[in-house]
Amino acid sequence: DDDEPPQCIAGGCGAEEDDSDDDHVGVPVECEPELFFVTPKPMMKNVGLHAKAALDIAVRIFNLCPSYGVGFLVLTGLAENYT
């Protein structure tokens, strides 16, 4: 019966299980990059007197593009980091 679809197994159609230390793309696990987060320093200093205005601007930016609004909060020092 040539009209039957191929049988799929857990690893995908026709894939064989590999018990080696390589990941799915063939790069050894030892070569995988380690990600870390560096807390950014605010670019704007002394926004204390204008913190409410800066927060209002951040909210308006956030409503248009959330990632830019959060970035603006970090830029002004109103938020310590992106998390």
Side-chain angles (χ1 to χ4, degrees):
D1 294 308
D2 293 333
D3 295 333
E4 290 184 28
Q7 295 289 329
C8 291
I9 58 174
C13 290
E16 296 179 14
E17 288 188 27
D18 186 11
D19 293 333
S20 68
D21 290 337
D22 293 346
D23 66 4
H24 295 294
V25 294
V27 178
V29 176
E30 296 83 23
C31 296
E32 297 268 335
E34 291 184 28
L35 303 175
F36 58 93
F37 183 77
V38 177
T39 304
K41 294 180 182 174
M43 296 298 293
M44 301 173 84
K45 308 286 186 206
N46 302 322
V47 293
L49 294 174
H50 306 288
K52 179 157 179 18
L55 186 59
D56 289 340
I57 293 170
V59 168
R60 290 173 184 247
I61 296 171
F62 184 87
N63 288 337
L64 295 173
C65 184
S67 60
Y68 284 32
V70 173
F72 184 79
L73 285 173
V74 173
L75 173 82
T76 59
L78 295 174
E80 291 182 13
N81 57 39
Y82 298 101
T83 57

